[in-house]
């Protein structure tokens, strides 16, 4: 910063002086050529960075994105008040989670009776339209979170419920029974609470203080519906 | 660190330029510049809207302030944001007001106070649709435990049907009511009709009582189900009638009674539809008539007259 200030003036001495100290009495007359170079080191570094990602191997690109997704998974599993999920949002994680959850909720409907479980498209639509509705709701209530940041947070916080679905499917391999049901109920309830707490930790700060409950309730309803879909799944 | 310095440097440069032009201007630092760098900032009408306004007592002042603000066009985001301008305490207060109707205690005048919101109706309808689907599923689970021959399936299509029905009811019936009241507006001098949003609000909040009722309908005792249903319908319809009474009492007697009875009838139809989809009209499920009643309750139920 100091170099940008000193380069147009050739009358200032090169001795170190506090920033902006003599700014008020700099006046450049018209016949004094003003020349120099204002270089901001960060920008050149960024340009280097951009061109180099084109030349790197595909493996590097994929690993970088996977690492970002994995880091966000860790943030969801141990929710602290941090801005990492909000700052660099991405939608890869929510997509992976949503597709795996919808695939696991598929029932092998051999007889094709009506009134079966949710189809893949229904689960997909519920998750994405539910997340969009919650985001629009929180923006209408006056929250200052952007659209995709909110989608990112809600999508990533489905991770505990996807884990619950996996555990439920494994438990169901052992055969139905009341103990089976109690285990599944316990797992789903714990994961539901984890999801709600994780998403509230990220989203609640963006709301005005007297409307937090109004913004959190739809999140609660959203994860409740998904937990219900998981709990009532029978193979 | 470097980013903050960059920002400060830009601000100062602009400020010095402006200062050289107008030496006696007042400089203030606008902190919302920093906010808009990282987030998509949603501009809330004017700064009066939720900061200072909530501190004032609700009364003529708030009405005046609202009228002074220019109404944004319907294509802007601010227009829709004005419908969600409620706090948690206000929503809870409106729900309580819908649960306990009193004669002469007009919901619109007392609770809405010229600030109808869309948050309540929308999320109450959504909750009711999901609660209906979940409870329907639960009754099927309970039925299967009694009688293992019933084939259990999650019946996911119920969510769609329930949702569409409830949303249509909560939006189309107020539309028809509002249209009808406006058409009859010429007969009335005392009080203008309610706006469309106020009507939607009244209907939306009046549906709240059905949420605990639907959950309580899980109890398989038939007379209890009818009792809960009648109680919910009475409270809900009473709220609607007490709200509509000041508007229709200026009208001719036959029209007023016809309107009020239509409103109550439609509400009763909705309640019966909910009960039918869950537990059947006469205490059974759609699959088999009396499979919900546990074996030891059946003799007790047949003893009650009229059930």
């Amino acid at each position: 910063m100091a170099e940008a200030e000193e380069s147009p003036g050739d009358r200032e001495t090169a001795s170190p002086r506090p920033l902006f100290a003599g700014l008020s009495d700099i006046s450049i007359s018209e016949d004094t050529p003003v020349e120099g170079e204002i270089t901001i080191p960060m920008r050149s570094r960024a340009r280097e960075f951009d061109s180099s990602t084109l030349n790197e191997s595909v493996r590097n690109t994929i690993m970088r994105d996977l690492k970002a997704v994995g880091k966000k998974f860790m943030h969801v599993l141990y929710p602290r008040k941090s801005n990492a999920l909000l700052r660099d949002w991405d939608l890869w994680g929510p997509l992976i989670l949503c597709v795996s959850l919808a695939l696991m909720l598929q029932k092998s409907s051999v007889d094709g009776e009506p009134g079966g479980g949710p189809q893949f498209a229904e689960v997909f639509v519920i998750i994405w339209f539910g997340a969009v509705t919650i985001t629009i709701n929180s923006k209408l209530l006056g929250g200052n979170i952007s659209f995709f940041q909110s989608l990112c947070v809600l999508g990533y916080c489905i991770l505990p419920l996807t884990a619950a679905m996996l555990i439920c499917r494994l438990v169901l391999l052992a055969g139905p029974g009341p103990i089976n049901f109690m285990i599944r109920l316990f797992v789903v309830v714990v994961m539901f609470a984890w999801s709600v707490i994780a998403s509230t930790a990220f989203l609640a700060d963006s709301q005005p203080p007297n409307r937090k409950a109004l913004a959190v309730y739809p999140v609660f309803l959203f994860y409740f519906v998904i937990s219900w879909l998981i709990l009532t799944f029978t193979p | 660190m470097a980013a903050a310095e960059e920002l400060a440097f830009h601000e100062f440069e602009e400020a010095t330029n402006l200062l050289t032009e107008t030496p006696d201007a007042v400089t203030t630092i606008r902190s919302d510049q920093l906010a808009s760098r990282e987030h998509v900032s949603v501009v809330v009408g004017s700064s009066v809207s939720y900061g200072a306004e909530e501190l004032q007592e609700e009364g003529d002042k708030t009405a005046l302030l609202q009228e002074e603000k220019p109404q944004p066009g319907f294509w802007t985001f601010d227009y829709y944001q004005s419908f969600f301008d409620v706090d948690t305490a206000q929503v809870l207060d409106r729900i309580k007001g819908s649960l306990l109707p009193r004669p002469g205690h007009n919901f619109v005048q007392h609770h809405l106070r010229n600030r109808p919101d869309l948050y309540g109706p929308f999320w109450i309808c959504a909750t009711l649709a999901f609660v209906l689907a979940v409870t329907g599923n639960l009754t099927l689970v309970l039925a299967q435990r009694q009688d293992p021959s019933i084939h259990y399936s999650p019946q996911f299509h119920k969510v769609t049907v329930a949702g569409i029905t409830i949303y249509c009811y909560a939006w189309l019936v107020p539309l028809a009511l509002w249209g009808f009241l406006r058409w009859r507006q010429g007969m009335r001098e005392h009080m203008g009709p309610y706006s469309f949003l106020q009507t939607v609000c009244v209907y939306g909040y009046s549906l709240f009582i059905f949420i605990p009722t639907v959950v309580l309908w899980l109890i398989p005792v038939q007379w209890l189900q009818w009792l809960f249903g009648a109680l919910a319908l009475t409270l809900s319809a009473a709220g609607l009638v007490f709200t509509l009474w000041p508007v229709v009492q200026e009208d001719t007697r036959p029209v007023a009674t016809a309107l009020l009875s239509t409103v109550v009838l439609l509400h009763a139809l909705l309640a019966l539809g909910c009960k039918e989809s869950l537990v059947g009209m006469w205490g059974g499920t759609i699959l088999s008539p009396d499979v919900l009643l546990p074996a030891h309750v059946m003799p007790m139920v047949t003893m009650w007259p009229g059930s």
Side-chain angles (χ1 to χ4, degrees), chain B residues 217-247:
Chain B
W217 271 338
L218 274 178
I219 305 175
V221 180
Q222 196 177 1
W223 62 269
L224 209 55
Q225 289 174 347
W226 279 110
L227 181 67
F228 287 139
L231 194 64
L233 182 62
T234 314
L235 281 177
S236 185
L240 283 177
V241 166
F242 292 146
T243 308
L244 286 176
W245 179 244
V247 181

PDB file of all heavy atoms in Angstrom, chain B residues 217-247:
ATOM      1  N   TRP B 217     -56.318 -37.702  16.719  1.00  0.00           N
ATOM      2  CA  TRP B 217     -57.183 -38.698  16.089  1.00  0.00           C
ATOM      3  C   TRP B 217     -56.537 -40.069  16.000  1.00  0.00           C
ATOM      4  O   TRP B 217     -57.147 -41.023  15.521  1.00  0.00           O
ATOM      5  CB  TRP B 217     -57.583 -38.238  14.684  1.00  0.00           C
ATOM      6  CG  TRP B 217     -58.813 -37.413  14.658  1.00  0.00           C
ATOM      7  CD1 TRP B 217     -59.798 -37.383  15.591  1.00  0.00           C
ATOM      8  CD2 TRP B 217     -59.212 -36.506  13.647  1.00  0.00           C
ATOM      9  NE1 TRP B 217     -60.776 -36.497  15.242  1.00  0.00           N
ATOM     10  CE2 TRP B 217     -60.450 -35.943  14.048  1.00  0.00           C
ATOM     11  CE3 TRP B 217     -58.659 -36.098  12.443  1.00  0.00           C
ATOM     12  CZ2 TRP B 217     -61.123 -35.008  13.294  1.00  0.00           C
ATOM     13  CZ3 TRP B 217     -59.344 -35.165  11.691  1.00  0.00           C
ATOM     14  CH2 TRP B 217     -60.556 -34.626  12.113  1.00  0.00           C
ATOM     15  N   LEU B 218     -55.282 -40.157  16.424  1.00  0.00           N
ATOM     16  CA  LEU B 218     -54.640 -41.466  16.470  1.00  0.00           C
ATOM     17  C   LEU B 218     -55.280 -42.372  17.499  1.00  0.00           C
ATOM     18  O   LEU B 218     -55.224 -43.590  17.387  1.00  0.00           O
ATOM     19  CB  LEU B 218     -53.157 -41.305  16.829  1.00  0.00           C
ATOM     20  CG  LEU B 218     -52.197 -41.036  15.686  1.00  0.00           C
ATOM     21  CD1 LEU B 218     -50.812 -40.857  16.260  1.00  0.00           C
ATOM     22  CD2 LEU B 218     -52.202 -42.194  14.734  1.00  0.00           C
ATOM     23  N   ILE B 219     -55.848 -41.748  18.532  1.00  0.00           N
ATOM     24  CA  ILE B 219     -56.455 -42.560  19.595  1.00  0.00           C
ATOM     25  C   ILE B 219     -57.638 -43.284  18.987  1.00  0.00           C
ATOM     26  O   ILE B 219     -58.557 -42.659  18.447  1.00  0.00           O
ATOM     27  CB  ILE B 219     -56.909 -41.666  20.758  1.00  0.00           C
ATOM     28  CG1 ILE B 219     -55.733 -40.845  21.247  1.00  0.00           C
ATOM     29  CG2 ILE B 219     -57.470 -42.504  21.871  1.00  0.00           C
ATOM     30  CD1 ILE B 219     -56.107 -39.856  22.291  1.00  0.00           C
ATOM     31  N   PRO B 220     -57.666 -44.600  19.076  1.00  0.00           N
ATOM     32  CA  PRO B 220     -58.663 -45.333  18.294  1.00  0.00           C
ATOM     33  C   PRO B 220     -60.053 -45.401  18.901  1.00  0.00           C
ATOM     34  O   PRO B 220     -60.842 -46.243  18.495  1.00  0.00           O
ATOM     35  CB  PRO B 220     -58.035 -46.729  18.193  1.00  0.00           C
ATOM     36  CG  PRO B 220     -57.190 -46.839  19.399  1.00  0.00           C
ATOM     37  CD  PRO B 220     -56.696 -45.469  19.735  1.00  0.00           C
ATOM     38  N   VAL B 221     -60.347 -44.570  19.847  1.00  0.00           N
ATOM     39  CA  VAL B 221     -61.685 -44.616  20.433  1.00  0.00           C
ATOM     40  C   VAL B 221     -62.585 -43.709  19.617  1.00  0.00           C
ATOM     41  O   VAL B 221     -62.314 -42.524  19.448  1.00  0.00           O
ATOM     42  CB  VAL B 221     -61.629 -44.141  21.902  1.00  0.00           C
ATOM     43  CG1 VAL B 221     -62.985 -44.184  22.514  1.00  0.00           C
ATOM     44  CG2 VAL B 221     -60.644 -44.986  22.659  1.00  0.00           C
ATOM     45  N   GLN B 222     -63.701 -44.274  19.137  1.00  0.00           N
ATOM     46  CA  GLN B 222     -64.442 -43.559  18.113  1.00  0.00           C
ATOM     47  C   GLN B 222     -65.152 -42.333  18.648  1.00  0.00           C
ATOM     48  O   GLN B 222     -65.131 -41.282  18.024  1.00  0.00           O
ATOM     49  CB  GLN B 222     -65.456 -44.502  17.464  1.00  0.00           C
ATOM     50  CG  GLN B 222     -65.962 -43.945  16.173  1.00  0.00           C
ATOM     51  CD  GLN B 222     -66.903 -44.891  15.484  1.00  0.00           C
ATOM     52  OE1 GLN B 222     -67.187 -45.971  15.992  1.00  0.00           O
ATOM     53  NE2 GLN B 222     -67.407 -44.490  14.348  1.00  0.00           N
ATOM     54  N   TRP B 223     -65.805 -42.430  19.829  1.00  0.00           N
ATOM     55  CA  TRP B 223     -66.539 -41.270  20.296  1.00  0.00           C
ATOM     56  C   TRP B 223     -65.575 -40.148  20.637  1.00  0.00           C
ATOM     57  O   TRP B 223     -65.883 -38.964  20.507  1.00  0.00           O
ATOM     58  CB  TRP B 223     -67.413 -41.627  21.497  1.00  0.00           C
ATOM     59  CG  TRP B 223     -66.646 -42.092  22.690  1.00  0.00           C
ATOM     60  CD1 TRP B 223     -66.307 -43.369  22.999  1.00  0.00           C
ATOM     61  CD2 TRP B 223     -66.103 -41.265  23.713  1.00  0.00           C
ATOM     62  NE1 TRP B 223     -65.598 -43.408  24.146  1.00  0.00           N
ATOM     63  CE2 TRP B 223     -65.450 -42.124  24.617  1.00  0.00           C
ATOM     64  CE3 TRP B 223     -66.108 -39.894  23.973  1.00  0.00           C
ATOM     65  CZ2 TRP B 223     -64.796 -41.644  25.748  1.00  0.00           C
ATOM     66  CZ3 TRP B 223     -65.464 -39.429  25.098  1.00  0.00           C
ATOM     67  CH2 TRP B 223     -64.814 -40.307  25.972  1.00  0.00           C
ATOM     68  N   LEU B 224     -64.367 -40.527  21.046  1.00  0.00           N
ATOM     69  CA  LEU B 224     -63.359 -39.495  21.348  1.00  0.00           C
ATOM     70  C   LEU B 224     -62.946 -38.758  20.071  1.00  0.00           C
ATOM     71  O   LEU B 224     -62.746 -37.543  20.072  1.00  0.00           O
ATOM     72  CB  LEU B 224     -62.150 -40.166  21.992  1.00  0.00           C
ATOM     73  CG  LEU B 224     -61.335 -39.333  22.970  1.00  0.00           C
ATOM     74  CD1 LEU B 224     -62.223 -38.783  24.055  1.00  0.00           C
ATOM     75  CD2 LEU B 224     -60.224 -40.187  23.557  1.00  0.00           C
ATOM     76  N   GLN B 225     -62.841 -39.529  18.994  1.00  0.00           N
ATOM     77  CA  GLN B 225     -62.482 -38.889  17.725  1.00  0.00           C
ATOM     78  C   GLN B 225     -63.551 -37.900  17.295  1.00  0.00           C
ATOM     79  O   GLN B 225     -63.248 -36.791  16.857  1.00  0.00           O
ATOM     80  CB  GLN B 225     -62.298 -39.945  16.638  1.00  0.00           C
ATOM     81  CG  GLN B 225     -61.067 -40.778  16.828  1.00  0.00           C
ATOM     82  CD  GLN B 225     -60.999 -41.905  15.833  1.00  0.00           C
ATOM     83  OE1 GLN B 225     -61.966 -42.216  15.150  1.00  0.00           O
ATOM     84  NE2 GLN B 225     -59.844 -42.522  15.748  1.00  0.00           N
ATOM     85  N   TRP B 226     -64.828 -38.303  17.440  1.00  0.00           N
ATOM     86  CA  TRP B 226     -65.887 -37.375  17.079  1.00  0.00           C
ATOM     87  C   TRP B 226     -65.877 -36.150  17.977  1.00  0.00           C
ATOM     88  O   TRP B 226     -66.134 -35.034  17.540  1.00  0.00           O
ATOM     89  CB  TRP B 226     -67.253 -38.075  17.167  1.00  0.00           C
ATOM     90  CG  TRP B 226     -67.550 -38.890  15.953  1.00  0.00           C
ATOM     91  CD1 TRP B 226     -67.593 -40.241  15.864  1.00  0.00           C
ATOM     92  CD2 TRP B 226     -67.835 -38.386  14.646  1.00  0.00           C
ATOM     93  NE1 TRP B 226     -67.886 -40.635  14.586  1.00  0.00           N
ATOM     94  CE2 TRP B 226     -68.040 -39.510  13.813  1.00  0.00           C
ATOM     95  CE3 TRP B 226     -67.940 -37.118  14.081  1.00  0.00           C
ATOM     96  CZ2 TRP B 226     -68.351 -39.395  12.470  1.00  0.00           C
ATOM     97  CZ3 TRP B 226     -68.244 -37.004  12.745  1.00  0.00           C
ATOM     98  CH2 TRP B 226     -68.444 -38.132  11.944  1.00  0.00           C
ATOM     99  N   LEU B 227     -65.577 -36.373  19.254  1.00  0.00           N
ATOM    100  CA  LEU B 227     -65.546 -35.250  20.196  1.00  0.00           C
ATOM    101  C   LEU B 227     -64.473 -34.242  19.814  1.00  0.00           C
ATOM    102  O   LEU B 227     -64.717 -33.029  19.745  1.00  0.00           O
ATOM    103  CB  LEU B 227     -65.287 -35.787  21.609  1.00  0.00           C
ATOM    104  CG  LEU B 227     -65.244 -34.723  22.704  1.00  0.00           C
ATOM    105  CD1 LEU B 227     -66.615 -34.115  22.865  1.00  0.00           C
ATOM    106  CD2 LEU B 227     -64.777 -35.342  24.013  1.00  0.00           C
ATOM    107  N   PHE B 228     -63.273 -34.776  19.531  1.00  0.00           N
ATOM    108  CA  PHE B 228     -62.185 -33.876  19.155  1.00  0.00           C
ATOM    109  C   PHE B 228     -62.510 -33.137  17.870  1.00  0.00           C
ATOM    110  O   PHE B 228     -62.244 -31.945  17.723  1.00  0.00           O
ATOM    111  CB  PHE B 228     -60.883 -34.662  18.972  1.00  0.00           C
ATOM    112  CG  PHE B 228     -60.274 -35.117  20.250  1.00  0.00           C
ATOM    113  CD1 PHE B 228     -59.725 -36.389  20.351  1.00  0.00           C
ATOM    114  CD2 PHE B 228     -60.225 -34.285  21.350  1.00  0.00           C
ATOM    115  CE1 PHE B 228     -59.162 -36.809  21.528  1.00  0.00           C
ATOM    116  CE2 PHE B 228     -59.661 -34.703  22.532  1.00  0.00           C
ATOM    117  CZ  PHE B 228     -59.136 -35.972  22.617  1.00  0.00           C
ATOM    118  N   GLY B 229     -63.101 -33.883  16.926  1.00  0.00           N
ATOM    119  CA  GLY B 229     -63.432 -33.254  15.658  1.00  0.00           C
ATOM    120  C   GLY B 229     -64.446 -32.138  15.834  1.00  0.00           C
ATOM    121  O   GLY B 229     -64.292 -31.041  15.278  1.00  0.00           O
ATOM    122  N   ALA B 230     -65.469 -32.409  16.643  1.00  0.00           N
ATOM    123  CA  ALA B 230     -66.497 -31.391  16.850  1.00  0.00           C
ATOM    124  C   ALA B 230     -65.914 -30.177  17.564  1.00  0.00           C
ATOM    125  O   ALA B 230     -66.234 -29.025  17.236  1.00  0.00           O
ATOM    126  CB  ALA B 230     -67.651 -31.988  17.661  1.00  0.00           C
ATOM    127  N   LEU B 231     -65.050 -30.433  18.527  1.00  0.00           N
ATOM    128  CA  LEU B 231     -64.443 -29.327  19.274  1.00  0.00           C
ATOM    129  C   LEU B 231     -63.609 -28.432  18.365  1.00  0.00           C
ATOM    130  O   LEU B 231     -63.726 -27.200  18.366  1.00  0.00           O
ATOM    131  CB  LEU B 231     -63.565 -29.920  20.379  1.00  0.00           C
ATOM    132  CG  LEU B 231     -63.103 -28.971  21.464  1.00  0.00           C
ATOM    133  CD1 LEU B 231     -64.291 -28.456  22.221  1.00  0.00           C
ATOM    134  CD2 LEU B 231     -62.140 -29.677  22.398  1.00  0.00           C
ATOM    135  N   ALA B 232     -62.789 -29.087  17.529  1.00  0.00           N
ATOM    136  CA  ALA B 232     -61.933 -28.316  16.639  1.00  0.00           C
ATOM    137  C   ALA B 232     -62.767 -27.516  15.648  1.00  0.00           C
ATOM    138  O   ALA B 232     -62.477 -26.347  15.373  1.00  0.00           O
ATOM    139  CB  ALA B 232     -60.986 -29.252  15.897  1.00  0.00           C
ATOM    140  N   LEU B 233     -63.805 -28.187  15.116  1.00  0.00           N
ATOM    141  CA  LEU B 233     -64.627 -27.495  14.122  1.00  0.00           C
ATOM    142  C   LEU B 233     -65.339 -26.307  14.750  1.00  0.00           C
ATOM    143  O   LEU B 233     -65.445 -25.235  14.140  1.00  0.00           O
ATOM    144  CB  LEU B 233     -65.646 -28.484  13.538  1.00  0.00           C
ATOM    145  CG  LEU B 233     -66.543 -27.912  12.457  1.00  0.00           C
ATOM    146  CD1 LEU B 233     -65.703 -27.470  11.282  1.00  0.00           C
ATOM    147  CD2 LEU B 233     -67.551 -28.949  12.025  1.00  0.00           C
ATOM    148  N   THR B 234     -65.810 -26.487  15.993  1.00  0.00           N
ATOM    149  CA  THR B 234     -66.518 -25.389  16.651  1.00  0.00           C
ATOM    150  C   THR B 234     -65.611 -24.195  16.857  1.00  0.00           C
ATOM    151  O   THR B 234     -65.964 -23.052  16.510  1.00  0.00           O
ATOM    152  CB  THR B 234     -67.060 -25.849  18.021  1.00  0.00           C
ATOM    153  OG1 THR B 234     -67.686 -27.109  17.865  1.00  0.00           O
ATOM    154  CG2 THR B 234     -68.026 -24.848  18.574  1.00  0.00           C
ATOM    155  N   LEU B 235     -64.417 -24.446  17.395  1.00  0.00           N
ATOM    156  CA  LEU B 235     -63.511 -23.339  17.662  1.00  0.00           C
ATOM    157  C   LEU B 235     -63.119 -22.623  16.376  1.00  0.00           C
ATOM    158  O   LEU B 235     -63.125 -21.396  16.287  1.00  0.00           O
ATOM    159  CB  LEU B 235     -62.246 -23.860  18.359  1.00  0.00           C
ATOM    160  CG  LEU B 235     -62.390 -24.140  19.846  1.00  0.00           C
ATOM    161  CD1 LEU B 235     -61.103 -24.720  20.385  1.00  0.00           C
ATOM    162  CD2 LEU B 235     -62.726 -22.865  20.574  1.00  0.00           C
ATOM    163  N   SER B 236     -62.823 -23.431  15.379  1.00  0.00           N
ATOM    164  CA  SER B 236     -62.332 -22.843  14.141  1.00  0.00           C
ATOM    165  C   SER B 236     -63.422 -22.052  13.432  1.00  0.00           C
ATOM    166  O   SER B 236     -63.209 -20.912  12.998  1.00  0.00           O
ATOM    167  CB  SER B 236     -61.823 -23.986  13.258  1.00  0.00           C
ATOM    168  OG  SER B 236     -61.236 -23.516  12.128  1.00  0.00           O
ATOM    169  N   ALA B 237     -64.602 -22.662  13.326  1.00  0.00           N
ATOM    170  CA  ALA B 237     -65.688 -21.974  12.630  1.00  0.00           C
ATOM    171  C   ALA B 237     -66.161 -20.757  13.416  1.00  0.00           C
ATOM    172  O   ALA B 237     -66.550 -19.747  12.834  1.00  0.00           O
ATOM    173  CB  ALA B 237     -66.848 -22.940  12.395  1.00  0.00           C
ATOM    174  N   ALA B 238     -66.099 -20.853  14.764  1.00  0.00           N
ATOM    175  CA  ALA B 238     -66.500 -19.704  15.570  1.00  0.00           C
ATOM    176  C   ALA B 238     -65.575 -18.529  15.311  1.00  0.00           C
ATOM    177  O   ALA B 238     -66.016 -17.378  15.195  1.00  0.00           O
ATOM    178  CB  ALA B 238     -66.495 -20.074  17.055  1.00  0.00           C
ATOM    179  N   GLY B 239     -64.291 -18.823  15.205  1.00  0.00           N
ATOM    180  CA  GLY B 239     -63.357 -17.755  14.895  1.00  0.00           C
ATOM    181  C   GLY B 239     -63.684 -17.085  13.588  1.00  0.00           C
ATOM    182  O   GLY B 239     -63.681 -15.855  13.456  1.00  0.00           O
ATOM    183  N   LEU B 240     -64.007 -17.906  12.575  1.00  0.00           N
ATOM    184  CA  LEU B 240     -64.335 -17.330  11.277  1.00  0.00           C
ATOM    185  C   LEU B 240     -65.606 -16.489  11.352  1.00  0.00           C
ATOM    186  O   LEU B 240     -65.697 -15.396  10.791  1.00  0.00           O
ATOM    187  CB  LEU B 240     -64.540 -18.455  10.260  1.00  0.00           C
ATOM    188  CG  LEU B 240     -63.297 -19.126   9.717  1.00  0.00           C
ATOM    189  CD1 LEU B 240     -63.685 -20.241   8.783  1.00  0.00           C
ATOM    190  CD2 LEU B 240     -62.431 -18.132   8.996  1.00  0.00           C
ATOM    191  N   VAL B 241     -66.617 -17.025  12.059  1.00  0.00           N
ATOM    192  CA  VAL B 241     -67.910 -16.331  12.099  1.00  0.00           C
ATOM    193  C   VAL B 241     -67.768 -15.007  12.833  1.00  0.00           C
ATOM    194  O   VAL B 241     -68.288 -13.975  12.398  1.00  0.00           O
ATOM    195  CB  VAL B 241     -68.967 -17.251  12.741  1.00  0.00           C
ATOM    196  CG1 VAL B 241     -70.200 -16.471  13.114  1.00  0.00           C
ATOM    197  CG2 VAL B 241     -69.326 -18.363  11.784  1.00  0.00           C
ATOM    198  N   PHE B 242     -67.062 -15.015  13.968  1.00  0.00           N
ATOM    199  CA  PHE B 242     -66.924 -13.773  14.729  1.00  0.00           C
ATOM    200  C   PHE B 242     -66.142 -12.731  13.952  1.00  0.00           C
ATOM    201  O   PHE B 242     -66.355 -11.525  14.135  1.00  0.00           O
ATOM    202  CB  PHE B 242     -66.230 -14.037  16.064  1.00  0.00           C
ATOM    203  CG  PHE B 242     -67.052 -14.846  17.005  1.00  0.00           C
ATOM    204  CD1 PHE B 242     -66.437 -15.729  17.867  1.00  0.00           C
ATOM    205  CD2 PHE B 242     -68.427 -14.747  17.031  1.00  0.00           C
ATOM    206  CE1 PHE B 242     -67.181 -16.496  18.745  1.00  0.00           C
ATOM    207  CE2 PHE B 242     -69.178 -15.507  17.890  1.00  0.00           C
ATOM    208  CZ  PHE B 242     -68.558 -16.384  18.754  1.00  0.00           C
ATOM    209  N   THR B 243     -65.239 -13.196  13.093  1.00  0.00           N
ATOM    210  CA  THR B 243     -64.494 -12.230  12.301  1.00  0.00           C
ATOM    211  C   THR B 243     -65.342 -11.666  11.177  1.00  0.00           C
ATOM    212  O   THR B 243     -65.236 -10.491  10.838  1.00  0.00           O
ATOM    213  CB  THR B 243     -63.251 -12.902  11.709  1.00  0.00           C
ATOM    214  OG1 THR B 243     -62.541 -13.531  12.758  1.00  0.00           O
ATOM    215  CG2 THR B 243     -62.367 -11.913  11.021  1.00  0.00           C
ATOM    216  N   LEU B 244     -66.189 -12.532  10.589  1.00  0.00           N
ATOM    217  CA  LEU B 244     -66.958 -12.074   9.443  1.00  0.00           C
ATOM    218  C   LEU B 244     -68.226 -11.334   9.858  1.00  0.00           C
ATOM    219  O   LEU B 244     -68.806 -10.613   9.042  1.00  0.00           O
ATOM    220  CB  LEU B 244     -67.347 -13.272   8.579  1.00  0.00           C
ATOM    221  CG  LEU B 244     -66.218 -13.861   7.757  1.00  0.00           C
ATOM    222  CD1 LEU B 244     -66.677 -15.088   7.033  1.00  0.00           C
ATOM    223  CD2 LEU B 244     -65.712 -12.836   6.772  1.00  0.00           C
ATOM    224  N   TRP B 245     -68.661 -11.496  11.094  1.00  0.00           N
ATOM    225  CA  TRP B 245     -69.950 -10.956  11.495  1.00  0.00           C
ATOM    226  C   TRP B 245     -70.046  -9.441  11.325  1.00  0.00           C
ATOM    227  O   TRP B 245     -71.057  -8.955  10.802  1.00  0.00           O
ATOM    228  CB  TRP B 245     -70.253 -11.377  12.940  1.00  0.00           C
ATOM    229  CG  TRP B 245     -71.538 -10.844  13.439  1.00  0.00           C
ATOM    230  CD1 TRP B 245     -71.709  -9.979  14.460  1.00  0.00           C
ATOM    231  CD2 TRP B 245     -72.834 -11.127  12.923  1.00  0.00           C
ATOM    232  NE1 TRP B 245     -73.037  -9.693  14.629  1.00  0.00           N
ATOM    233  CE2 TRP B 245     -73.747 -10.391  13.691  1.00  0.00           C
ATOM    234  CE3 TRP B 245     -73.308 -11.914  11.874  1.00  0.00           C
ATOM    235  CZ2 TRP B 245     -75.108 -10.429  13.463  1.00  0.00           C
ATOM    236  CZ3 TRP B 245     -74.669 -11.946  11.655  1.00  0.00           C
ATOM    237  CH2 TRP B 245     -75.562 -11.214  12.433  1.00  0.00           C
ATOM    238  N   PRO B 246     -69.056  -8.655  11.737  1.00  0.00           N
ATOM    239  CA  PRO B 246     -69.215  -7.211  11.565  1.00  0.00           C
ATOM    240  C   PRO B 246     -69.346  -6.793  10.111  1.00  0.00           C
ATOM    241  O   PRO B 246     -69.903  -5.743   9.817  1.00  0.00           O
ATOM    242  CB  PRO B 246     -67.928  -6.630  12.170  1.00  0.00           C
ATOM    243  CG  PRO B 246     -67.400  -7.675  13.036  1.00  0.00           C
ATOM    244  CD  PRO B 246     -67.807  -8.961  12.431  1.00  0.00           C
ATOM    245  N   VAL B 247     -68.813  -7.616   9.214  1.00  0.00           N
ATOM    246  CA  VAL B 247     -68.863  -7.207   7.812  1.00  0.00           C
ATOM    247  C   VAL B 247     -70.198  -7.554   7.185  1.00  0.00           C
ATOM    248  O   VAL B 247     -70.722  -6.819   6.360  1.00  0.00           O
ATOM    249  CB  VAL B 247     -67.713  -7.885   7.045  1.00  0.00           C
ATOM    250  CG1 VAL B 247     -67.708  -7.467   5.605  1.00  0.00           C
ATOM    251  CG2 VAL B 247     -66.394  -7.532   7.681  1.00  0.00           C
TER     252      VAL B 247
END
